[in-house]
């Protein structure tokens, strides 16, 4: 019984909130960093995308678009705005990778 009452204290809810925040920030960082890399060198990422048969200009534009969306969705996850649509987008990116 003491363990159950210990877990239900207000301090434990604060620790849970901190854990959720840490997970949210980690998830955000996991998408913001690659998004920044894609935006810093879109031609390099575009060359990799060209291997699936896309035109060079379209591949560079796609790399820029995906990088921008990764940064935006990562920021949305970090601040808690539109988390479900952002998470769905991130799942699609992970499946496509």
């Amino acid at each position: 019984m003491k363990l159950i009452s210990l877990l239900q204290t207000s301090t434990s809810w604060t620790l849970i909130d901190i854990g959720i925040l840490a997970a949210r920030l980690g998830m955000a960082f996991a998408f913001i960093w690659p998004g920044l890399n894609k935006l810093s060198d879109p031609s390099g990422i575009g060359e990799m995308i060209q291997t699936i048969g896309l035109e060079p200009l379209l591949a560079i534009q796609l790399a820029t678009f995906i990088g921008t969306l990764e940064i935006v969705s990562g920021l949305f996850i970090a601040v808690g705005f539109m988390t479900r649509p952002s998470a769905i987008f991130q799942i699609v990116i992970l499946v496509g990778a």
Side-chain angles (χ1 to χ4, degrees), residues 4-65:
I4 292 174
S5 64
L6 181 65
L7 291 176
Q8 293 176 346
T9 63
S10 62
T11 305
S12 67
W13 290 113
T14 304
L15 292 176
I16 290 171
D17 291 339
I18 290 171
I20 290 171
L21 178 63
R24 179 181 288 170
L25 293 177
M27 180 73 163
F29 179 77
F31 280 89
I32 292 172
W33 186 256
L36 289 173
N37 286 336
K38 284 181 182 75
L39 288 181
S40 67
D41 185 24
S43 60
I45 303 296
E47 289 176 8
M48 287 190 285
I49 295 175
Q50 286 177 28
T51 60
I52 62 172
L54 290 177
E55 296 291 325
L57 183 60
L58 181 63
I60 292 170
Q61 290 173 347
L62 183 64
T64 303
F65 180 70

Side-chain angles (χ1 to χ4, degrees), residues 20-32 69-91:
I20 290 171
L21 178 63
R24 179 181 288 170
L25 293 177
M27 180 73 163
F29 179 77
F31 280 89
I32 292 172
L69 287 180
E70 283 180 343
I71 291 170
V72 170
S73 68
L75 290 173
F76 281 179
I77 291 287
V79 298
F81 178 71
M82 293 179 51
T83 54
R84 288 184 182 167
S86 297
I88 290 171
F89 169 74
Q90 292 175 354
I91 289 170

